[in-house]
């Protein structure tokens, strides 16, 4: 049998908001609300029970309060649901509530004064005679009091719970929106980074087409492997060993293009291989070290351009971090403002901000070269606690 069928189902439909809640919760609200109403009836009848010498007027007065309260609750709940379906404003709902309370109270005052009191003579001993105007005024005041009790018993819990759920839903939507925004921005940064790298690499290969076609074909094949990995629709994070493997292929292209003037050194600590880093994070730093460092050595500097890639683990503030250093032996950074097209550094910094708020990117430059240092947490797939 349906738990919401029969009398219980009808009563639950009268409770504001109960139809959208689990049956057990709706029943609890119904029981608590009815208990509050009965307690209110008892408190209103208690003064009469204390001073009256007879039981009859107490029973009649309590029964009359119960009947009036039940009628008022049904009328108010029905009107409340009607206004909810019509999406009425709070002001309109309040006006309907006051009007219904006044009408029901007025009807019960007239019935009590003109029908009940003449039929039950013992009620006449309840204090001095009252005028009709006084009875109506007092009845309206009691009606407003009953309306307040109804609102406290049935509407307030629903409104409070609804406000709590709306706040939770708003927080959830806000978090989802923020995650989508971060994901979209990361995708945008990657989509700008990859064509940026592709254009520079194709220019490098173009210089070999006439000079060394065989080498150009080899590098095109190597570039194809790079693009296959770069365009792979994988996770934003990848193991550092994959990042280094990708950089080694990239370095192979550059060393071939600038044979005799550029070389790379690799110092990768074995324990860093499984550390997760944003895909292609270090490529702009390597590109800058080559383009604005190693290949711009002055005539006074001896030897060829050298780019050193170091990766090691370090403990800082009781946290394990991975430190990536890209160092060149170029002339160092000029004192002038950064060039307008320095997209690489901005993209690295922004990607770190989005994925690892505690990460650091800093530059150290002297007349003997420039070093780019990235410090970030060292999460792994097996231990992803450091992931944001």
């Amino acid at each position: 049998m349906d738990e919401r069928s029969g009398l219980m189902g009808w009563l639950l439909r009268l409770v504001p908001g109960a139809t959208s809640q689990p049956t057990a919760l709706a029943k609890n609200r119904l029981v608590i609300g009815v208990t509050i109403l009965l307690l209110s009836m008892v408190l209103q009848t208690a003064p009469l029970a204390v001073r009256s010498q007879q039981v009859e007027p107490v029973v009649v007065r309590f029964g009359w309060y119960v009947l009036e309260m039940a009628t008022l609750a049904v009328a108010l709940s029905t009107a409340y649901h009607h206004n909810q379906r019509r999406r009425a404003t709070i002001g309109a709902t309040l006006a309907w509530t006051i009007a219904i309370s006044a009408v029901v109270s007025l009807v019960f005052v007239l019935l009590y004064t003109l029908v009940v009191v003449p039929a039950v003579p013992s009620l006449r001993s309840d204090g001095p005679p009252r005028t009709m105007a006084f009875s109506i005024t007092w009845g309206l005041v009691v009606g407003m009091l009953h309306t307040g009790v109804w609102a406290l018993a049935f509407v307030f819990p629903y409104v409070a719970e609804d406000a709590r759920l709306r706040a939770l839903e708003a927080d959830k939507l806000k978090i989802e929106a923020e995650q989508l925004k971060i994901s979209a921005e990361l995708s945008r940064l990657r989509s700008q980074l990859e064509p940026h790298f592709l254009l520079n690499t194709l220019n490098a290969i173009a210089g070999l087409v006439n000079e060394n076609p065989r080498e150009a074909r080899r590098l095109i094949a190597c570039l194809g492997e790079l693009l296959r990995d770069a365009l792979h629709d994988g996770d934003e994070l990848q193991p550092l060993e994959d990042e280094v493997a990708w950089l080694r292929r990239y370095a192979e292209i550059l060393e071939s293009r600038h044979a005799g003037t550029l070389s790379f050194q690799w110092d990768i600590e074995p324990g860093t291989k499984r550390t997760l880093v944003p895909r292609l994070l270090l490529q702009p730093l390597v590109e800058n070290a080559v383009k604005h460092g190693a290949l711009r050595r002055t005539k006074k500097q001896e030897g060829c351009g050298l780019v050193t890639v170091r990766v090691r683990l370090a403990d800082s503030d009781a946290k394990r971090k991975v430190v990536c250093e890209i160092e060149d032996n170029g002339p160092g950074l000029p004192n002038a403002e950064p060039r307008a097209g320095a997209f690489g550094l901005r993209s690295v910094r922004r990607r770190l901000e989005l994925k690892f708020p505690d990460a650091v990117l800093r530059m150290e430059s002297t007349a003997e070269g420039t070093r780019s240092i990235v410090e970030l947490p060292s999460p792994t797939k097996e231990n992803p606690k450091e992931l944001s």
Side-chain angles (χ1 to χ4, degrees), residues 289-338:
V290 172
K291 188 175 182 180
H292 304 292
L295 295 182
R296 288 195 173 184
R297 289 172 55 78
T298 63
K299 294 181 180 179
K300 297 180 180 180
Q301 293 176 308
E302 299 179 354
C304 69
L306 176 64
V307 175
T308 303
V309 179
R310 299 189 189 91
V311 180
R312 58 185 171 84
L313 292 173
D315 293 326
S316 176
D317 299 329
K319 292 183 179 179
R320 178 62 61 89
K321 292 185 177 181
V322 62
V323 181
C324 305
E325 297 180 358
I326 313 298
E327 183 177 6
D328 65 71
N329 61 348
L333 295 175
N335 295 325
E337 293 294 326

Side-chain angles (χ1 to χ4, degrees), residues 224-253:
E225 294 180 0
L226 288 180
L227 291 178
R228 181 194 61 193
D229 293 340
L231 299 177
H232 180 259
D233 188 19
D235 295 335
E236 169 62 17
L237 300 179
Q238 68 174 0
L240 186 60
E241 61 179 346
D242 293 343
E243 177 81 359
V244 171
W246 194 92
L247 288 176
R248 286 182 184 274
R249 288 195 289 270
Y250 174 69
E252 185 179 352
I253 294 175

Side-chain angles (χ1 to χ4, degrees), residues 3 33 64 84 125 129 148 153 156 192 236 241 254-255 263 318 322 340 359:
E3 291 183 336
W64 188 254
Q84 288 292 96
S125 60
F156 177 75
Q192 292 179 356
E236 169 62 17
E241 61 179 346
L254 294 176
E255 284 178 328
S263 63
V322 62

